[in-house]
Amino acid sequence: MKSAFSGIWGGYLPFTVDVSRQLKYGQENCLLVKLNNQDNPAVPPGKPLKDLDFNFYSGLYRWVELRVQDKVYITDPVQTGRVAGGGILVHYENVNSKSAMLRVQTEVQNDAAQTQKAQVRAILLDAKGAEVGRVESEAAGIAAGAFGRIEQQLTVTRPQLWSPEQPYLYELVVEVLHPFRHRRLLSERPEAAPARHQPSPGISIPRLCLIG
């Protein structure tokens, strides 16, 4: 790779690093991750590590994945740093035993040199994988170097409500459709579910519970 970069400080939150500009395309690249848990006054808890019962931060203790995606893609909620923005935001309204309304906001970034059009499709699956709701947005133009937020609404009839006795979970599949690339699927995985290998690169599945 062409250069080194850093800037991730402590904590338990996930982080994303964009290495697109550092890669040497068509060549072999080596990505090294160096971890440092030495005393640092800028990182909580502010006491020397030798005085603590255990380290508050040390190492990579969760999964790591390498994402290869198109120039039109769903943003990463942590990387964007925008309040109530980035990635996929799901909100529930009027939840009862007869129906439930889901509002889905998807933030799509365009890193291409020209304005691009994209659609967002959201599909809700029940615990057995059967489709119980689907919505597809109109094609929206997103300026070069900018992002757009696409809001959608799904209604579920006779939802299975979550409870400690019946912890029922739905799955929400969100896809970005690029009309000018033969509807190629672009993917993003919200942090509501651990990373898993999937045969389709366009599937993003957070698990959802509906509480009445």
Side-chain angles (χ1 to χ4, degrees):
M1 301 180 72
K2 297 180 181 178
S3 60
F5 49 90
S6 62
I8 308 303
W9 296 90
Y12 293 94
L13 291 175
F15 62 88
T16 301
V17 178
D18 187 352
V19 298
S20 302
R21 293 181 175 83
Q22 284 77 27
L23 293 176
K24 296 180 179 179
Y25 293 92
Q27 302 180 36
E28 181 176 322
N29 291 267
C30 180
L31 177 62
L32 301 178
V33 179
K34 181 180 180 179
L35 306 171
N36 184 345
N37 67 341
Q38 294 177 326
D39 287 322
N40 189 330
V43 179
K47 294 175 63 176
L49 295 178
K50 63 182 179 61
D51 295 334
L52 300 174
D53 292 333
F54 59 90
N55 288 358
F56 278 72
Y57 58 95
S58 180
L60 295 174
Y61 66 102
R62 289 293 186 269
W63 50 263
V64 178
E65 65 179 2
L66 178 64
R67 298 179 183 176
V68 180
Q69 56 194 16
D70 196 89
K71 291 183 179 295
V72 180
Y73 58 93
I74 299 174
T75 60
D76 182 275
V78 177
Q79 186 180 21
T80 58
R82 288 187 278 270
V83 176
I88 302 166
L89 202 61
V90 181
H91 173 67
Y92 315 91
E93 295 181 1
N94 304 321
V95 179
N96 54 61
S97 60
K98 294 183 179 180
S99 66
M101 180 185 297
L102 274 68
R103 295 188 180 275
V104 182
Q105 175 184 286
T106 306
E107 187 175 287
V108 181
Q109 176 74 29
N110 175 21
D111 284 344
Q114 301 85 24
T115 297
Q116 299 289 321
K117 287 187 177 182
Q119 297 171 272
V120 172
R121 175 193 292 158
I123 303 173
L124 188 67
L125 307 176
D126 65 15
K128 296 181 179 180
E131 182 177 317
V132 295
R134 169 191 292 250
V135 63
E136 186 172 314
S137 71
E138 297 292 333
I142 304 175
F147 69 90
R149 291 175 180 170
I150 298 175
E151 297 184 359
Q152 298 167 290
Q153 178 178 309
L154 271 170
T155 300
V156 184
T157 304
R158 295 187 299 276
Q160 297 288 329
L161 302 181
W162 186 95
S163 69
E165 295 74 27
Q166 185 183 6
Y168 193 94
L169 293 176
Y170 289 85
E171 293 184 340
L172 181 65
V173 179
V174 180
E175 303 169 325
V176 172
L177 308 175
H178 202 333
F180 300 112
R181 300 217 174 182
H182 307 287
R183 301 177 71 82
R184 178 183 177 186
L185 303 182
L186 313 175
S187 66
E188 161 68 9
R189 193 186 310 276
E191 297 304 328
R196 302 188 298 271
H197 172 73
Q198 300 181 45
S200 170
I203 295 182
S204 159
I205 306 181
R207 297 185 178 274
L208 306 174
C209 63
L210 299 177
I211 305 176

